[in-house]
Amino acid sequence: MDFPKLTDEARARIRPEALTRLGSGSQAVTDGQAALHRAQAANDAAAALTALRDVRDGLSLAQSGAGALRALEAGQSPEQTALAWFRHEMTLPPADRSEMAGGFRGLSWLHVLLMILLGAALTGGALAAMDPRAPCGGAGRAADTRRSS
């Protein structure tokens, strides 16, 4: 995806919208918290769940406003902002904390070690099966003795 750079006019339009989202979100969180306290006092589980949903929605709205403001201040490109939001929503680690870093050809060291051990076990099993003196090779030898008799 190729997004154009934000112009000063676009930044001027985004900033008030982000501030509005931040304010609306924080107000929704406050209202939801008050509704949650009322629901707890009334011992109303359905109202408590509704209040929690409202708090969650308000928090999301406030986070989107704060994220837009942060992106404007940091001068991030829209794709960087969108990627950071997606990683946050999916609870993925930031891109700089990759667990695959330091491995061999993009693979983790654990993966490489396990593949080496698996390869060694398969090779050892194949060699043991081909050895006529090995217990599993004995079946082939018994068949050979029957043929010669």
Side-chain angles (χ1 to χ4, degrees):
M1 297 185 332
D2 188 25
F3 290 105
K5 296 283 185 190
L6 287 177
T7 63
D8 290 336
E9 296 85 28
R11 288 178 184 278
R13 282 182 293 165
I14 291 172
R15 186 170 186 76
E17 175 65 26
L19 289 170
T20 301
R21 283 176 168 258
L22 185 59
S24 298
S26 64
Q27 185 60 46
V29 168
T30 303
D31 295 344
Q33 186 179 14
L36 180 60
H37 285 295
R38 286 191 302 274
Q40 283 178 325
N43 203 15
D44 186 358
L49 288 174
T50 301
L52 286 171
R53 187 195 67 229
D54 293 344
V55 168
R56 193 171 31 253
D57 292 345
L59 185 59
S60 246
L61 189 61
Q63 283 178 330
S64 74
L69 288 173
R70 185 181 62 229
L72 287 175
E73 290 171 2
Q76 287 182 327
S77 67
E79 59 268 10
Q80 288 173 326
T81 304
L83 183 59
W85 173 84
F86 180 76
R87 286 184 164 282
H88 178 267
E89 289 296 311
M90 296 291 122
T91 61
L92 296 172
D96 58 343
R97 284 184 26 211
S98 174
E99 292 181 18
M100 298 298 277
F104 176 73
R105 294 185 178 237
L107 301 172
S108 70
W109 288 115
L110 176 64
H111 182 86
V112 171
L113 177 67
L114 289 176
M115 291 299 105
I116 290 171
L117 290 175
L118 179 63
L122 288 174
T123 303
L127 290 175
M130 293 184 339
D131 184 11
R133 293 171 289 157
C136 61
R141 223 178 23 186
D144 287 341
T145 20
R146 279 189 240 136
R147 281 189 214 145
S148 62
S149 307

